[in-house]
Amino acid sequence: IMSHAEIYFGLKTVIEDEDGLVALSEQNRALIFAFNPHDVLPYGVFAFNPSLKRLRGKLGSQGCCLMTSAVFRVPLLKHVYSWVRGLPVDKATFKGRLERGESLTFSPGGVQEVLMLDPKNPQRISIYLRPRKGFIKLALLNGSPIVPVFGFGFDGSYTPVVPKGKVVMFLSRRLGAVPLFYLGRWNIPFGIPRPHKITVCIGKAIDVPKIECPTSELIENYREIFLKELDALFHRHKESAGYGDRTLKIH
């Protein structure tokens, strides 16, 4: 499945400091690859699947993607995502992998970011990160470096009809997924994404100390470092990825 997806999307990966990432991994430190944007579905995380070995060493052979537990409650999707080494993005799974020195990939924007999609304004990319402090705290508790990741080419893969309102937000949080209608390739409802060429850019690791009781101030400080590095990563690569006319807004 992953090899076919690699060809279908013409996957290109740009790794800014692979030697540095591998060196951290060899110290038995779990790396947190924070993938952005979420978009309709963050299917771009497949670039980290072990079968593709886009990264060297343990990072390439033991990778894992964490995703909303909602997909593991749907019979067919449960099997598909299990086959591709997906796991629920709950605190216990996240924390357990870090404690065992096992790196992971996830998309922190979540359902709130999906609700911010604006198909009428494709030039503006909105990502929902400022309130996301939980993974920063877990990184500090375990001394796990955070790696900013930005994916280009995902917008337009689906045509979504984005619901709005407080009721939708409430349901989305309870379900762990947005009750969203979208069209895929050939305008098939809930179909496969259109075969847009995608580029996944993996930035340099943000080294994080291991702190037993991180303060709110320290958590916010590392969150700001992450946001700054993610924004810089986007701007370093947006021209070569064909996003020269796009703007990034971090909420």
Side-chain angles (χ1 to χ4, degrees), residues 112-245:
Q112 284 86 348
E113 190 170 308
V114 177
L115 293 171
M116 293 168 60
L117 289 171
D118 184 3
K120 295 180 180 179
N121 187 14
Q123 308 309 116
R124 181 174 178 175
I125 303 169
S126 295
I127 55 179
Y128 185 84
L129 288 176
R130 293 196 181 279
R132 301 301 198 199
K133 302 178 185 178
F135 77 99
I136 304 291
K137 182 177 181 179
L138 287 173
L140 285 163
L141 286 170
N142 292 276
S144 296
I146 303 170
V147 184
V149 181
F150 202 94
F152 296 92
F154 299 99
D155 53 321
S157 296
Y158 293 110
T159 302
V161 178
V162 184
K164 303 291 183 181
K166 294 182 179 179
V167 174
V168 174
M169 177 63 78
F170 172 78
L171 289 174
S172 299
R173 286 177 172 171
R174 291 297 299 270
L175 295 172
V178 178
L180 181 72
F181 177 81
Y182 59 86
L183 300 174
R185 191 176 186 183
W186 303 299
N187 289 326
I188 297 175
F190 307 109
I192 62 173
R194 299 180 181 97
H196 291 188
K197 302 298 182 183
I198 61 177
T199 300
V200 174
C201 297
I202 303 172
K204 297 179 180 180
I206 301 167
D207 204 0
V208 176
K210 186 173 184 178
I211 306 293
E212 186 173 347
C213 295
T215 63
S216 296
E217 183 179 1
L218 187 62
I219 293 169
E220 291 178 4
N221 179 51
Y222 274 94
R223 179 201 58 187
E224 290 306 310
I225 293 173
F226 167 69
L227 296 182
K228 181 180 178 180
E229 291 300 319
L230 179 66
D231 184 72
L233 179 68
F234 169 78
H235 284 92
R236 282 197 298 273
H237 297 281
K238 72 173 190 175
E239 294 290 342
S240 60
Y243 272 47
D245 60 343

